[in-house]
């Protein structure tokens, strides 16, 4: 039988496990309650139910929008407790307004409603779901080095989301980032980063083109040098020498030196037979 200490330890572990499960359910319930509260505030701005139902039946909608999203689908996910993190819920909410911009354009009447919804829900994401707001200093840093066209686009985003008239931002404009809305800062940062990536890509392409031009010039210079060497080699004439005559060979030339007398062990008598030295010794008188 287990000891009393072991029974006490098991009881404490079971109690902690139930307590942890209760905490998770409580936090999960709070999270879904916050999400439903945001949905109620947002859908109040959509008085004409523009984003209530599935828009896939609209003409050519699938060609512009890869992932349709609408309020009924988000509410269904909330009822089924399918969201495991705040980032998933915020991604679906942002997809609703982004799809509207893609399909209708940023200046369409439906996009104006979507922009007001975006401004409200981005503020609620920070206050209700404790999402991290975009620091104004980060937006300012991302806008450094922009072209005049990109600066005008940043100004247009600022006027759209802050609800300002274009005439009030003409001339020397001082954008107040510290007082800007969360949606304004987020959109400005997204565009600034996208513009920076585009500039870096163009810089890499220009560098690659420059390297290619330098390589082409080097190849052309090397080809020209090789052609010049080949032309010089072609200008050289090679003459085939005639075959030398025998008397022109140094070994065959006649010299003025007299021929040496031939020395031989054989002596030839003027008359008689050929005798060698042994025969002469035998024929000599005793």
């Amino acid at each position: 039988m287990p000891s009393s200490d072991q029974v006490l330890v098991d009881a404490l572990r079971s109690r902690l496990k139930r307590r942890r499960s209760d905490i998770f359910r409580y936090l999960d319930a709070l999270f879904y309650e916050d999400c439903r509260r945001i949905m109620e505030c947002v859908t109040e701005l959509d008085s004409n139910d523009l984003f209530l139902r599935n828009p896939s039946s609209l003409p050519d909608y699938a060609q512009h929008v890869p992932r349709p999203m609408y309020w009924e689908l988000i509410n269904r996910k909330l009822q089924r407790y399918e969201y495991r993190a705040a980032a998933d819920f915020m991604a679906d909410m942002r997809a609703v307004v982004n799809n509207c911009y893609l399909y209708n354009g940023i200046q369409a009447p439906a996009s104006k409603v979507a922009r007001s919804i975006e401004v409200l829900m981005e503020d609620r994401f920070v206050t209700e779901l404790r999402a991290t707001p975009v620091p104004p200093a980060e937006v300012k840093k991302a806008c450094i080095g922009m072209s005049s066209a990109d600066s005008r686009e940043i100004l247009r985003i600022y006027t759209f989301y802050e609800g300002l008239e274009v005439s009030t931002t003409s001339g020397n404009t001082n954008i107040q980032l510290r007082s800007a809305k969360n949606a304004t800062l987020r959109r400005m940062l997204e565009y600034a980063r996208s513009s920076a990536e585009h500039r870096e890509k163009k810089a890499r392409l220009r560098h690659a083109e420059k390297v290619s031009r330098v390589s082409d010039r080097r190849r052309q210079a090397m080809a020209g040098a090789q052609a010049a060497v080949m032309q010089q080699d072609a200008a050289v004439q090679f003459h085939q020498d005639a075959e030398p005559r025998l008397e022109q060979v140094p070994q065959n030339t006649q010299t003025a030196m007299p021929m040496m007398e031939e020395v031989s062990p054989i002596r030839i008598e003027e008359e008689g037979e050929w005798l060698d030295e042994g025969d002469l010794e035998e024929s000599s008188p005793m």
Side-chain angles (χ1 to χ4, degrees):
M1 295 180 62
S3 62
S4 58
D5 294 339
Q6 185 65 33
V7 173
L8 181 60
V9 169
D10 294 340
L12 289 175
R13 287 178 178 175
S14 178
R15 183 178 178 182
L16 289 174
K17 186 176 180 180
R18 289 195 304 270
R19 182 63 175 171
R20 189 182 300 111
S21 179
D22 293 340
I23 292 174
F24 286 159
R25 281 197 299 269
Y26 175 74
L27 294 177
D28 197 40
L30 288 180
F31 165 68
Y32 278 94
E33 184 179 350
D34 294 337
C35 292
R36 293 188 182 96
R37 191 182 304 112
I38 294 173
M39 279 293 300
E40 291 176 0
C41 296
V42 166
T43 53
E44 288 179 358
L45 297 178
D46 187 13
S47 57
N48 295 324
D49 295 336
L50 297 177
F51 313 111
L52 179 61
R53 298 175 181 84
N54 190 352
S56 299
S57 59
L58 296 175
D60 301 331
Y61 191 83
Q63 298 180 4
H64 298 84
V65 179
R67 189 174 73 96
M69 187 57 59
Y70 45 98
W71 304 139
E72 287 183 348
L73 180 57
I74 296 176
N75 284 324
R76 195 179 307 135
K77 287 185 176 182
L78 289 173
Q79 293 174 2
R80 297 175 180 176
Y81 296 91
E82 296 182 6
Y83 292 112
R84 296 302 178 187
D88 299 333
F89 173 73
M90 291 188 295
D92 284 350
M93 295 289 288
R94 288 166 178 166
V96 175
V97 295
N98 290 334
N99 293 345
C100 178
Y101 300 151
L102 289 175
Y103 184 74
N104 298 294
I106 58 175
Q107 294 183 351
S111 297
K112 293 181 180 180
V113 177
R115 193 174 301 112
S116 62
I117 291 174
E118 181 182 3
V119 170
L120 175 62
M121 72 181 185
E122 289 295 339
D123 291 338
R124 287 303 185 98
F125 289 162
V126 175
T127 57
E128 300 289 340
L129 299 180
R130 292 164 294 280
T132 304
V134 177
E138 188 174 355
V139 178
K140 182 179 180 180
K141 181 179 179 181
C143 293
I144 296 176
M146 276 189 171
S147 62
S148 57
D150 291 335
S151 299
R152 288 193 297 269
E153 182 63 21
I154 287 291
L155 179 60
R156 187 187 64 82
I157 294 173
Y158 180 77
T159 55
F160 273 7
Y161 282 88
E162 294 297 318
L164 302 176
E165 297 293 337
V166 179
S167 58
T168 60
T169 58
S170 59
N172 296 327
T173 304
N174 186 16
I175 298 178
Q176 301 294 332
L177 292 178
R178 294 187 179 275
S179 60
K181 300 180 176 66
N182 290 306
T184 306
L185 295 175
R186 180 175 171 273
R187 287 295 181 180
M188 292 174 67
L189 182 61
E190 285 182 353
Y191 181 82
R193 288 177 175 175
S194 176
S195 176
E197 292 178 359
H198 183 66
R199 290 196 303 270
E200 291 178 0
K201 184 177 180 180
K202 289 180 64 176
R204 289 194 297 267
L205 290 176
R206 287 196 299 268
H207 178 70
E209 292 176 356
K210 183 178 179 181
V211 172
S212 178
R213 288 195 299 268
V214 171
S215 300
D216 292 340
R217 287 197 295 268
R218 288 179 179 176
R219 284 194 294 267
Q220 292 176 1
M222 292 177 63
Q226 292 178 357
V229 171
M230 294 177 63
Q231 186 175 4
Q232 291 178 0
D233 293 342
V236 177
Q237 297 181 359
F238 295 92
H239 301 281
Q240 185 176 3
D241 295 335
E243 294 183 359
R245 296 189 299 272
L246 293 177
E247 60 270 14
Q248 292 179 348
V249 179
Q251 290 83 349
N252 297 332
T253 56
Q254 296 181 358
T255 59
M257 296 178 61
M259 297 296 293
M260 297 180 63
E261 184 178 358
E262 184 180 0
V263 178
S264 176
I266 300 175
R267 187 177 58 182
I268 302 176
E269 295 291 340
E270 295 181 357
E271 296 180 357
E273 299 178 350
W274 290 43
L275 300 175
D276 55 13
E277 293 180 355
D279 295 337
L280 293 175
E281 291 178 357
E282 292 179 358
S283 60
S284 60
M286 298 295 295

